[in-house]
Amino acid sequence: MAPLGDSEATGRSGRGVAIAAFVAALLALAAIGAALWQLHAATAGLIIARDRVGEVPVTVFRPAAATTAPVVVIAHGFAGSQQLMQPYAVTLARNGFLVVTFDFPGHGRNASPFVARIEDQERRIAVLKSALDAVTEYALKLPGADGRLALLGHSMAGDVILRAAAARGDQVAANVLLSPYVGEDAPRIEPRDLLIVFGAWEPEMLHQTGRDALQAGVAGAAVETDVTYGDLADGSGRRLVLAPGVEHIGVLYGRAGISAALDWLNQVFGRTGSGFIDSRGSWLGLLFLGIVVLAWPLSRLLPRAATRPLGADLTWRRWWPVALLPAVLTPLILRPLPNDYLPILLGDYLALHFGVYGLLTAVGLWFVNRGRPRTGQRQVLWRGLVIGTRASGAYLTLAIAVPMDQFVTAFLPGAERIVVILGILPGTWAYFAADGWLTRGPGTPRAAPVVTKILFLLSLLGAVVLNLSELFFLIIIVPAILVFFLLYGPIGGWIYRRTRHPLVGGFAIGFAFAWAIGVTFPVVN
């Protein structure tokens, strides 16, 4: 049998890839469809209504059956939104509770400003408690509210819930705190029937803050996990739960934590519900996996942006200094500099970190490439570069933003956040453009994109250590940045292999990151 000619072999190979892309698209669309079906099915039998209490956006979840029920007011944490609390809201409502979620000032779709400095505890507590009190009064007056009340909150909300519960006395029958931040002067004894849930993967020192918060209301030995102290009947109940397999954000999706909260409130109010638990975590994973996989066949539709693959094309020995030095120098450079150039809390520092890191990477690339032939510009296809960047940026933002906004957290920007996104954009563009060039090219180590992202996260943690008082809350954002790196990383690789130009994916991912930062962090004056 005669061997295949080059053109025939190439043709068969191209057809094989086309068939694989078609199958991948079908599987991705099937995964997206199945996930959306299940996510929408979780709210079956509920009436969900949106309203405002002054400037505070609220959402009411109630069972379709017209019955009276206890009210549960749910508060989100720092850089969160009411959408982030949906697993608990849907679970409790499906089990017969009347549930109200809301956005704190500066968060989600609440355009009122948050505090300019997170360490300004007095002002922060006043702003948060004012919103919580207003929503609580609103919730107690809802049709179907039977006068009984519970408060549930995550992270930053834990501290203000303890204070609000102590101020209201017996009016608050139960309190559930999820991975709470608890100030040293927050009430410990007064809040009734207190359940604290931490993720088992959170640091032990945070678990200890939960033990300390409960210890004041527990006589005798040190507080242990999964043990109920006191008596729920008289309001002295206390319990600490470590939800397995989750951390600070994952605790909002872990089945164990949601079950513990439902069981606690059922005991306090003497109720038995349907037993339904909102287990959306796996369906969200399938949804975003489908969105990522779908990007591969779609990337094959992009035009070429270069006649041959461009990039740094460095060996490991020359590559390492360029990758490592920005990780070390960026926290040191930014430590003494002001970082409040945008009306957004901590997001402006993150944008600066991206920007300085990217500029240092670009300088390193220039230094190691001195004297090399500059033929790259003659190989650029400018029309392909522009079209590819626009198309990729649109997919990376909208395909992620719409489901994120509906099922995860507020992700579609209000008018007040457009300027913020534009202010963040130069920093993220600088980083992802430089990083894209550093990690691409025929001779560049295959592990380069993964290594540079690890170095960036370590650099960010280093910045937090150097300025713990102002940047502490960035620690809880690091897992979210890691998730976005994992989402956008494969897509960036497919975009590069199709367009052959690192800046197409770099600019597109930079825009997506600017969007994510701009819609997530609290808006301030």
Side-chain angles (χ1 to χ4, degrees):
M1 184 175 179
L4 294 174
D6 289 344
S7 59
E8 186 178 354
T10 301
R12 289 193 176 185
S13 175
R15 286 193 294 272
V17 173
I19 292 172
F22 179 73
V23 172
L26 290 180
L27 292 175
L29 290 172
I32 292 169
L36 289 174
W37 178 274
Q38 291 294 328
L39 289 168
H40 282 292
T43 58
L46 297 182
I47 298 174
I48 302 174
R50 290 170 177 80
D51 200 356
R52 280 188 173 269
V53 179
E55 294 295 319
V56 182
V58 300
T59 303
V60 180
F61 300 77
R62 66 169 71 242
T67 59
T68 59
V71 171
V72 183
V73 175
I74 297 182
H76 63 80
F78 178 78
S81 68
Q82 58 178 322
Q83 288 100 311
L84 200 60
M85 308 306 294
Q86 285 181 78
Y88 282 82
V90 171
T91 294
L92 294 175
R94 286 282 298 266
N95 283 274
F97 291 92
L98 180 58
V99 182
V100 179
T101 62
F102 67 99
D103 289 331
F104 277 123
H107 294 74
R109 292 189 172 86
N110 191 332
S112 300
F114 190 49
V115 294
R117 296 176 62 84
I118 193 69
E119 62 269 29
D120 184 356
Q121 177 172 295
E122 182 177 353
R123 177 62 181 157
R124 183 184 75 245
I125 292 171
V127 168
L128 296 176
K129 188 171 181 298
S130 176
L132 177 61
D133 286 342
V135 174
T136 300
E137 291 299 321
Y138 164 87
L140 288 170
K141 296 174 184 176
L142 287 170
D146 68 6
R148 294 178 293 174
L149 172 66
L151 301 178
L152 183 152
H154 176 237
S155 190
M156 171 187 71
D159 188 58
V160 71
I161 280 179
L162 290 178
R163 299 171 192 275
R168 288 180 176 270
D170 291 348
Q171 187 182 32
V172 182
N175 300 273
V176 179
L177 308 185
L178 311 172
S179 299
Y181 165 77
V182 180
E184 293 182 0
D185 60 337
R188 261 65 166 185
I189 298 176
E190 296 89 341
R192 295 172 58 85
D193 289 340
L194 178 59
L195 170 69
I196 296 181
V197 180
F198 277 99
W201 288 355
E202 294 186 82
E204 174 59 31
M205 67 176 185
L206 294 183
H207 298 168
Q208 188 58 46
T209 65
R211 293 186 175 89
D212 293 342
L214 295 180
Q215 192 68 58
V218 175
V223 171
E224 297 182 9
T225 59
D226 299 320
V227 176
T228 298
Y229 297 90
D231 187 352
L232 275 70
D234 64 14
S236 64
R238 296 290 187 270
R239 187 177 180 88
L240 175 65
V241 172
L242 299 184
V246 295
E247 33 59 61
H248 191 78
I249 297 175
V251 74
L252 298 176
Y253 299 95
R255 187 179 181 88
I258 300 173
S259 298
L262 174 61
D263 180 64
W264 188 257
L265 296 180
N266 278 339
Q267 290 184 66
V268 170
F269 294 113
R271 298 176 62 88
T272 55
S274 65
F276 172 84
I277 302 294
D278 187 320
S279 302
R280 69 178 57 198
S282 58
W283 295 113
L284 286 173
L286 182 64
L287 173 63
F288 289 107
L289 176 63
I291 291 171
V292 170
V293 172
L294 184 60
W296 174 53
L298 291 179
S299 70
R300 290 172 47 80
L301 303 177
L302 294 172
R304 296 290 190 190
T307 56
R308 69 172 184 84
L310 301 180
D313 200 16
L314 299 175
T315 62
W316 270 116
R317 184 178 63 82
R318 302 180 68 211
W319 184 89
W320 264 111
V322 181
L324 189 59
L325 286 178
V328 176
L329 294 178
T330 300
L332 299 176
I333 292 172
L334 290 178
R335 175 65 182 88
L337 300 180
N339 53 44
D340 54 353
Y341 72 102
L342 287 173
I344 184 172
L345 188 60
L346 292 183
D348 43 10
Y349 175 82
L350 190 55
L352 282 174
H353 202 95
F354 272 117
V356 172
Y357 202 114
L359 290 175
L360 290 174
T361 302
V363 170
L365 285 169
W366 170 82
F367 186 83
V368 298
N369 282 315
R370 290 174 305 160
R372 299 181 72 180
R374 298 184 180 181
T375 60
Q377 290 190 0
R378 293 196 295 273
Q379 299 158 350
V380 176
L381 305 173
W382 292 102
R383 184 174 180 273
L385 179 63
V386 173
I387 294 175
T389 299
R390 288 177 177 176
S392 301
Y395 186 82
L396 287 173
T397 50
L398 296 179
I400 300 293
V402 173
M404 282 282 287
D405 190 80
Q406 186 167 4
F407 301 113
V408 183
T409 191
F411 220 76
L412 295 176
E416 74 280 359
R417 293 184 181 268
I418 299 298
V419 173
V420 172
I421 292 173
L422 294 176
I424 293 170
L425 194 55
T428 54
W429 266 351
Y431 172 78
F432 285 102
D435 182 75
W437 203 276
L438 176 64
T439 58
R440 305 299 179 189
T444 302
R446 293 177 62 86
V450 175
V451 174
T452 58
K453 305 309 181 294
I454 294 173
L455 289 174
F456 180 86
L457 293 176
L458 291 175
S459 177
L460 195 59
L461 290 174
V464 174
V465 171
L466 291 175
N467 193 3
L468 192 60
S469 63
E470 293 186 16
L471 302 180
F472 172 78
F473 276 91
L474 280 179
I475 294 176
I476 66 175
I477 304 299
V478 168
I481 297 175
L482 175 60
V483 168
F484 281 111
F485 278 157
L486 293 174
L487 277 175
Y488 295 138
I491 299 176
W494 295 326
I495 293 172
Y496 173 73
R497 280 191 282 276
R498 172 59 186 174
T499 64
R500 300 176 177 173
H501 201 304
L503 295 187
V504 176
F507 285 143
I509 296 175
F511 180 72
F513 257 83
W515 180 301
I517 296 169
V519 299
T520 302
F521 286 90
V523 172
V524 299
N525 283 324

